[in-house]
Amino acid sequence: PMAAPEISQSRLYEWLTGDEDSRMCKDIPDEACDEQPRSFFLHLVASLGNKLADELSSARLVLPWLMGVIGAPLWMVGLLVPIREAGALLPQLFVAGFIRLRPERKWAWVAGGLLQAVAAALLALLALFGSGAVGGGLVLAVLVALSLARGLSSVATKDVLGKTISKQRRGTLMGWSGSMAGAVTLAAGAVLVLFDDRPGELALAVLLGIAALGWALNALCAARIREAPGAVGGGENAWDSVRLGLRLLREDRAFLHFNLSRALLLASALALPYVALLGQQQSGTALGGLGVLIVVSGLAGMVASPVWGKRADASSRRVMRDAGLGATFCCLLAAAIAWLPGAWSQTVWPYALVYALLVIIHAGVRLGRKTYIVDMAGSDRRALYVALSNTITGVLMLAVGGLVGALAQWLGTAALMVVLALMALAAAASASRLPEVE
């Protein structure tokens, strides 16, 4: 009886990967080869749980809404995205060295998944019982734990993927998991639109509860992957990496210039939660508004990557420049809508439109900078350049995010949009002067 599911699993795997023979193995150990169809589906389901949980606890969308519902101060909203991003980026230099010393990396992934599940469950409780500045502060504290766990998972997942799924199958796997996750997110948004006027706290708690289940599923799948013990050499001392990195920044002018452009392009990420918040301030806390934003964000995310991918292969520098100009336009548009009189600016729809555009632009920022740094660094230095650039961005994200939060409290959300527009314009000017690397 065991053979039948094995055969159908191999067939489905061959269909999904367009692979006539499910034994194609490049650059993975032989014992991982026979396990590959099984590993592929475990990775797929794990990734689905992770992506769904990510969307339903999104710091750009769901958590600003949560902060609005429990009445947290405005400056705290400015810290959501920086904590979420920096927490996942900062530890990477340290975590990577630690994981290299473990022969089986999947247990680091399992631990990360379980910690994220616990954090999401705590956020669900805060949606029900949190209020004011104390509630907001607790949300930020849980978010710190969540994003550190995410950093741990992220490094371990890539390592396990490299050991269990062959080259030329990894992109296919990520592609399938991306489209499945997009579809699930759209469904979640559509359900919220139907729930239009339910009390916000309860529905948010349900969303975050589902996110906790998504991460639990992710950890369960990770634990079931059969991973061959790997080499434990090559774990580098994090401080040596930092020292070498600082020397690179001094010596490599192009790398320094790239990091300046990348820092200014943070405007697109920092603007997203405030656009969501403007939508909530104008349309009240009815959940239909959040559902609309989740749906447009899902649709825009599905449209975005193909739009930019081809262009990034031609010139990632131009993609970064154009994304900077696009972010400038979106921020000014959001401010204009908030300031214009008229009943139409009292609904969520104009903000949903700006949010969708900004999601597409932000995808361009991410794709452009990833492609640029991979093409700029030679293969021997690539891992170091990426880890270092991520760490620098993490530090800047916290600093700039705190500043933006303070400005929001002082100027108000609409005026803040103008400041972010100027920052994005500076990013476009800086990116346009980068050297071509393609």
Side-chain angles (χ1 to χ4, degrees), residues 62-86:
V62 177
L63 296 184
W65 205 271
L66 170 65
M67 292 297 226
V69 166
I70 66 179
L74 194 56
W75 62 268
M76 287 187 175
V77 176
L79 289 173
L80 289 169
V81 168
I83 287 177
R84 183 84 174 100
E85 302 281 321

Side-chain angles (χ1 to χ4, degrees), residues 111-191:
L114 289 175
L115 286 168
Q116 289 181 95
V118 171
L122 289 173
L123 286 173
L125 290 173
L126 285 169
L128 293 173
F129 305 112
S131 75
V134 175
L138 287 171
V139 169
L140 292 179
V142 173
L143 188 60
V144 169
L146 180 79
S147 53
L148 290 172
R150 178 203 176 79
L152 176 64
S153 269
S154 162
V155 175
T157 307
K158 289 185 185 69
D159 221 341
V160 176
L161 180 71
K163 286 170 69 182
T164 53
I165 302 293
S166 109
K167 265 190 185 169
Q168 296 179 343
R169 291 286 160 268
R170 294 166 196 164
T172 311
L173 173 64
M174 289 176 202
W176 277 108
S177 72
S179 1
M180 280 168 62
V184 173
T185 309
L186 285 181
V191 169

Side-chain angles (χ1 to χ4, degrees), residues 2-24:
M2 196 52 219
E6 284 295 321
I7 291 169
S8 60
Q9 191 177 32
S10 298
R11 287 244 175 90
L12 182 58
Y13 168 76
E14 284 161 16
W15 178 77
L16 280 175
T17 56
D19 187 355
E20 297 308 306
D21 170 24
S22 52
R23 298 281 167 270
M24 168 177 160

